[in-house]
Amino acid sequence: RSGDAVRLVGRHSHHQLPDDYAWADVVAVPSVVDSTGDRDGLPNVVLEAMACGRPLVASDVAAIGDAVHAGGAGVVVPPGEPDLLAAALDALSVPDARRRLGDSGRRYVQRDYELRSCTDRFVDLLGTLHVRSSEGVHV
């Protein structure tokens, strides 16, 4: 945002993303369900923005709204509602609100998506599945 303008930057490479997140006041993720029913599940941009301490305004599509709510990281709006999207972006024009939501999202990602923690949960799940499958095998 520059003054009263919003800058839509379009597609950027992974190399550019750290600078983009550092520059952004808010990250908008206006996902929709297309005519075939295809949708984003949980796009990387959601967790990346949270990890960078940036608040989100996101559509309530698939797991996006759940992640934003769970992280306390922003505002969720119905998909395909540009007026509500604009109102949510306007609501985050207050620096203290952006900072509070950004900090909350960062803590959430650090707690629930840190690599070691995810790996430990995955290994525990595999162990549980292995035990269950072993119990069902009769020789």
Side-chain angles (χ1 to χ4, degrees), residues 2 4 11 35 54 61 75 85 92 96 99 103 119 127 129:
S2 175
D4 289 334
R11 187 177 296 248
S35 61
R54 295 301 177 251
V61 171
V75 180
L85 182 72
L92 292 183
D96 286 341
R99 189 172 16 268
D103 289 348
T119 302
L129 294 173

Side-chain angles (χ1 to χ4, degrees), residues 41-117:
L42 181 57
N44 290 342
V45 67
V46 172
L47 297 178
E48 290 169 354
M50 284 192 224
C52 291
R54 295 301 177 251
L56 291 131
V57 172
S59 297
D60 195 10
V61 171
I64 298 170
D66 293 338
V68 173
H69 283 304
V75 180
V76 176
V77 298
E81 296 288 341
D83 291 338
L84 294 177
L85 182 72
L89 288 167
D90 191 48
L92 292 183
S93 65
V94 179
D96 286 341
R98 290 195 310 267
R99 189 172 16 268
R100 181 177 41 80
L101 294 169
D103 289 348
S104 179
R106 182 164 172 79
R107 284 190 305 273
Y108 170 70
V109 169
Q110 286 175 321
R111 182 187 70 236
D112 289 12
Y113 290 91
E114 184 270 327
L115 183 58
R116 184 67 183 168
S117 163

Side-chain angles (χ1 to χ4, degrees), residues 27 34 62 97 127:
V27 175
D34 75 12

